[in-house]
């Protein structure tokens, strides 16, 4: 075995593979209640296998009053009846593994539901043994909240409990009280919940909002946000420096990591919305390891311009320490869909970009069809964020609509009334139709995932040159003797860029393949290509 193949074999599944995010409420309903469930996901595993993804990450499925659609957990070691049972979960896990895929669960450590028995106990009295499992403070001298901390979802981050005359802290909804991670019993109980799922065989966790786990112990006010401008949402009035990204958080995450590392081959992904230089601190240090993959969301807010994106890649790569494995995310259940952000004519280009960057890609369900945000009429809004802070475009329902499987009235998602409306363009944007087409966003995504699997240069290779040439972003991926060149045209005009002669086109958003590129590569509007440039013209002569 030569060095090259040994490295490919040694790479871990979460480094090589493609992760696919499922929002369980919206993937497949099996019992006609209009809400997706685990039995539904099992029905669609063959599709995911066909698509070629390596791992599935499920947004939360634990019992929940659904104030934040599962991100308010009332029992960490069970499954909500809406989604099924623990037996259904075990079945899903077995069937996922049988198809050589991995299953990653969402774990929500920052807060419970207000309906969690721990919080019921905690709020029962000031002397309850679980009082300090949550964060309680006396009112300020005027009787108001203890300080100026605001909730991510609007309004103060404090809610008064009239019975005990204290405020409890919640970084998100009042229905999501924050756990006190400084308390050793909280740590022990939550770490125990991780063991519960690891013993059942889950392959890892995506940890929700880890930058929020610890607050500043002094509880002093946040400073004003220097970037705040009038017209911005009031939630951004103050910088959240006292509320999040505190140094002690890394001890808590190291605890998670110690547990996952005590099982074989598991992964820990951290959700962190922070500037890149802060995101990379969530890899931890050799003595205090953090998550394997702190999610890099920086493509989501990025300007869709070659020069900006070249700088972004360089900045990220420059911040990574030896041993840190990169990752990229284009969309998720919290942010506008990529096809809506960059325009539908660039949806394939965005997919090519995600799947050829160095690092683990996470694909959001439905993006393989080019789904766009689905407008939700005000009377159908479900998302608590939109309800609490309307008018700023925070609503997340448009990106959580049911997966369209076919062109029938309910798109094969449900036999009942779906909990959110379907995309109106489901005649074209559905799995069955796009699967039957010779070229479609779905076919393109699948081919590209297969190419990535065939070419270690794409999944594991280093970067060669990364540069913007006007509207074109060009980068090389190197592995052993292979050099692949990726070229992306971000403009609406046809452009040309020089490449060494005699190269074979491996993939193109424009449906070209196996062409020989001679000296000047032509890129049509919003076209992206992968070209094998391993042999330069000189070498071929
Ligand atoms: C981040 C999750 O992705 C989001 O959906 C949720 O509302 C918040 N964390 C609170 O748990
Ligand atoms: Ca259902």
């Amino acid at each position: 075995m030569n060095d090259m193949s040994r490295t490919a074999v040694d790479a871990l599944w979460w480094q090589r593979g493609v992760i696919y995010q499922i929002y369980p409420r919206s993937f497949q309903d099996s019992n006609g209640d209009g809400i997706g469930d685990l039995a539904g996901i099992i029905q669609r595993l063959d599709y995911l296998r066909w698509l070629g993804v390596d791992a599935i990450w499920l947004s939360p499925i634990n019992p929940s009053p659904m104030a934040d659609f599962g991100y308010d957990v009332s029992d960490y070691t069970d499954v909500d009846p809406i989604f099924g049972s623990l037996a259904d979960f075990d079945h899903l896990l077995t069937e996922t593994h049988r198809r050589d895929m991995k299953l990653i669960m969402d774990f929500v450590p920052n807060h419970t539901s207000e309906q969690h028995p721990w919080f019921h106990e905690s709020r029962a009295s000031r002397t309850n043994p679980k009082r300090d499992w949550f964060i309680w403070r006396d009112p300020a001298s005027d009787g108001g909240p203890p300080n100026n901390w605001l909730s991510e979802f609007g309004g103060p981050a404090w809610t008064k409990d009239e019975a005990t005359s204290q405020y409890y802290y919640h970084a998100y909804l009042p229905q999501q009280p924050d756990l006190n991670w400084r308390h050793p019993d909280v740590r022990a109980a939550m770490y125990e919940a991780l063991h519960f799922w690891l013993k059942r065989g889950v392959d890892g966790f995506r940890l929700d909002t880890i930058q929020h786990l610890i607050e500043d112990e002094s509880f002093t006010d946040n400073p004003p946000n220097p970037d705040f401008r009038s017209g911005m949402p009031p939630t951004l009035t103050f910088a959240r420096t006292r509320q999040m990204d505190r140094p002690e958080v890394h001890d808590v995450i190291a605890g998670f990591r110690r547990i996952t590392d005590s099982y074989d081959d598991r992964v820990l992904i951290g959700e962190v919305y922070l500037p890149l230089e802060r995101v990379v601190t969530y890899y931890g240090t050799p003595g205090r390891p953090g998550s394997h993959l702190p999610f890099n969301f920086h493509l989501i807010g990025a300007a869709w311009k070659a020069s900006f994106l070249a700088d972004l890649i360089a900045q990220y790569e420059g911040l990574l320490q030896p041993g840190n494995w990169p990752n990229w995310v284009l969309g998720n259940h919290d942010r506008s869909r990529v096809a809506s952000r960059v325009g539908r004519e660039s949806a394939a280009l965005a997919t090519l970009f995600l799947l050829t960057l160095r690092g683990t890609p996470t694909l959001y369900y439905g993006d393989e069809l080019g789904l766009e945000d689905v407008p939700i009429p005000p009377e159908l809004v479900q998302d608590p964020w939109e309800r609490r802070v309307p008018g700023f475009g925070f609503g997340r329902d448009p990106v959580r609509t049911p997966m369209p499987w076919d062109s029938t009235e309910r798109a094969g998602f449900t036999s009942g009334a779906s909990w959110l409306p379907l995309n109106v363009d489901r005649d074209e944007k559905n799995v069955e139709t796009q699967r039957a087409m010779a070229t479609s966003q779905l076919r393109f995504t699948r081919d590209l995932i297969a190419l990535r699997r065939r070419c270690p240069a794409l999944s594991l290779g280093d970067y060669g040159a990364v540069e913007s040439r006007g509207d074109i972003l060009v980068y090389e991926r190197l592995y052993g003797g292979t050099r692949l060149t990726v070229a992306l045209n971000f403009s609406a005009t046809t452009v040309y860029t020089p490449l060494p002669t005699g190269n074979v086109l491996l993939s193109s958003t424009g449906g070209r393949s196996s062409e020989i590129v001679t000296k000047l590569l032509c890129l049509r509007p919003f076209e992206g290509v992968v070209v094998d440039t391993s042999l330069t013209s000189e070498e071929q002569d």
Side-chain angles (χ1 to χ4, degrees):
M1 188 185 281
N2 62 28
D3 277 353
M4 186 178 130
S5 48
R6 188 160 54 242
T7 315
V9 170
D10 287 353
L12 299 165
W13 63 267
W14 52 265
Q15 296 176 317
R16 264 194 324 260
V18 175
I19 300 173
Y20 183 95
Q21 181 189 354
I22 288 181
Y23 195 67
R25 293 181 73 85
S26 296
F27 202 58
Q28 176 66 60
D29 178 22
S30 73
N31 62 355
D33 66 358
I35 298 176
D37 45 53
L38 300 186
I41 296 172
I42 294 170
Q43 289 169 22
R44 297 300 183 181
L45 287 176
D46 285 337
Y47 164 74
L48 296 172
R49 185 68 222 142
W50 172 85
L51 184 60
V53 299
D54 299 270
I56 303 164
W57 148 38
L58 297 182
S59 282
I61 55 164
N62 302 119
S64 165
M66 303 288 167
D68 191 20
F69 296 108
Y71 285 96
D72 47 325
V73 173
S74 54
D75 182 351
Y76 286 96
T77 55
D78 206 346
V79 171
D80 194 284
I82 284 186
F83 298 124
S85 63
L86 271 177
D88 292 326
F89 178 81
D90 289 339
H91 187 198
L92 170 64
L93 191 57
T94 306
E95 290 299 311
T96 305
H97 286 165
R98 206 161 65 76
R99 289 167 179 80
D100 279 334
M101 294 185 290
K102 306 281 187 183
L103 193 66
I104 299 168
M105 290 189 78
D106 218 306
F107 191 73
V108 188
N110 180 65
H111 42 265
T112 68
S113 157
E114 61 168 349
Q115 298 302 331
H116 197 294
W118 298 341
F119 190 65
H120 283 158
E121 287 186 55
S122 182
R123 82 186 314 173
S125 75
R126 287 192 183 208
T127 54
N128 187 281
K130 288 206 170 54
R131 183 66 168 181
D132 291 337
W133 280 41
F134 294 83
I135 298 165
W136 293 95
R137 307 292 293 171
D138 287 333
S141 48
D142 64 358
N147 60 30
N148 70 359
W149 297 1
L150 297 177
S151 151
E152 296 270 1
F153 285 164
W158 299 95
T159 292
K160 192 169 181 190
D161 178 63
E162 294 299 341
T164 57
S165 299
Q166 279 192 315
Y167 283 83
Y168 66 88
Y169 172 68
H170 47 89
Y172 292 88
L173 298 175
Q175 296 93 324
Q176 293 169 300
D178 272 47
L179 281 161
N180 174 14
W181 274 90
R182 295 181 191 272
H183 198 306
D185 295 349
V186 168
R187 292 191 188 203
M190 290 296 274
Y191 289 158
E192 205 39 53
L194 280 197
H195 282 295
F196 175 87
W197 295 105
L198 288 164
K199 282 183 199 147
R200 291 192 109 80
V202 301
D203 300 291
F205 300 97
R206 172 267 193 193
L207 302 174
D208 187 61
T209 194
I210 46 175
Q211 79 271 20
H212 265 299
L213 291 179
I214 296 265
E215 296 72 33
D216 183 357
E217 245 176 336
S218 72
F219 290 93
T220 41
D221 278 355
N222 278 321
N225 175 0
D227 300 324
F228 187 77
R229 304 279 172 275
S230 81
M232 281 166 70
T235 39
L236 301 180
T237 313
F238 304 105
R240 288 205 170 83
T241 51
R242 307 267 179 206
Q243 271 173 282
M244 62 180 203
D245 196 24
R246 308 297 305 173
E248 302 94 317
V249 80
H250 298 287
D251 289 329
V252 180
I253 299 167
F256 287 125
R257 178 66 182 270
R258 262 194 303 280
I259 292 168
T260 39
D261 279 357
S262 67
Y263 296 77
D264 280 350
D265 219 15
R266 315 294 165 107
V267 70
L268 209 50
I269 302 173
E271 189 210 27
V272 255
Y273 277 102
L274 288 173
L276 271 180
E277 60 273 16
R278 298 303 311 153
V279 170
V280 295
T281 65
Y282 286 76
Y283 282 107
T285 55
R288 197 175 57 176
S291 54
H292 298 104
L293 300 174
F295 263 151
N296 166 11
F297 295 123
H298 283 259
L299 276 183
I300 293 182
W304 201 237
K305 281 179 58 177
S307 56
F308 184 95
L309 296 167
D311 289 348
L312 181 63
I313 294 170
Q315 190 202 355
Y316 185 44
E317 287 286 324
L319 288 165
L320 295 171
Q321 299 299 310
N324 294 171
W325 187 256
N327 79 91
W328 295 92
V329 181
L330 260 183
N332 60 28
H333 62 294
D334 293 327
R335 295 287 189 270
S336 181
R337 281 196 181 268
V338 60
S340 293
R341 293 198 321 265
V342 304
R344 70 179 67 137
E345 63 289 347
S346 291
L349 185 73
T351 304
L352 186 105
F353 192 31
L354 176 71
L355 291 170
T356 57
L357 283 164
R358 190 176 90 88
T360 306
T362 301
L363 204 60
Y364 185 50
Y365 86 96
D367 282 352
E368 73 271 34
L369 304 171
L371 278 198
E372 294 170 73
D373 295 351
V374 176
I376 307 292
E379 68 279 10
L380 295 183
V381 168
Q382 308 274 337
D383 183 11
W385 195 1
E386 175 68 15
R387 288 184 172 179
R388 288 170 62 93
V389 193
F392 291 97
F394 288 140
R396 299 168 294 177
D397 298 329
V399 309
R400 298 174 173 182
T401 59
M403 180 76 167
W405 295 100
D406 58 38
S407 52
T408 58
E409 195 192 337
R410 298 183 180 107
F413 166 70
T414 183
S415 58
S418 62
W419 78 285
L420 278 175
L422 283 144
N423 52 314
V424 288
D425 55 359
R426 60 186 174 279
D427 268 359
E428 174 216 341
K429 287 189 181 160
N430 72 72
V431 170
E432 191 181 76
T433 302
Q434 292 201 11
R435 206 169 156 163
M437 290 163 75
T439 55
S440 62
Q441 172 80 11
L442 178 59
R443 284 268 164 201
F444 177 69
T445 306
R446 178 175 182 255
D447 289 349
L448 205 50
I449 293 173
L451 180 69
R452 195 185 153 90
R453 191 183 299 283
R454 275 201 312 281
C455 300
L458 290 180
S459 52
L460 302 172
D462 291 330
Y463 284 120
V466 178
E467 54 181 324
S468 58
R469 303 175 186 166
D471 288 326
I472 311 175
L473 175 61
V474 182
Y475 47 91
E476 295 172 336
R477 301 293 311 279
L478 311 174
Y479 190 86
T482 305
R483 180 179 57 183
L484 302 184
T485 302
V486 182
L488 310 167
N489 175 11
F490 288 89
S491 78
T493 51
T494 298
V495 290
Y496 295 85
T497 197
L499 281 190
T501 37
N503 308 301
V504 181
L505 200 74
L506 296 177
S507 174
S508 149
T509 56
R512 298 147 70 189
S513 69
S514 312
E515 270 172 48
I516 303 294
V517 178
T518 49
K519 279 202 173 109
L520 213 51
L521 171 70
C522 166
L523 289 170
R524 296 172 199 148
F526 308 112
E527 186 179 17
V529 298
V530 182
V531 181
D532 188 343
T533 50
S534 304
L535 294 177
T536 63
S537 49
E538 299 76 48
E539 285 161 344
Q540 286 174 352
D541 288 342

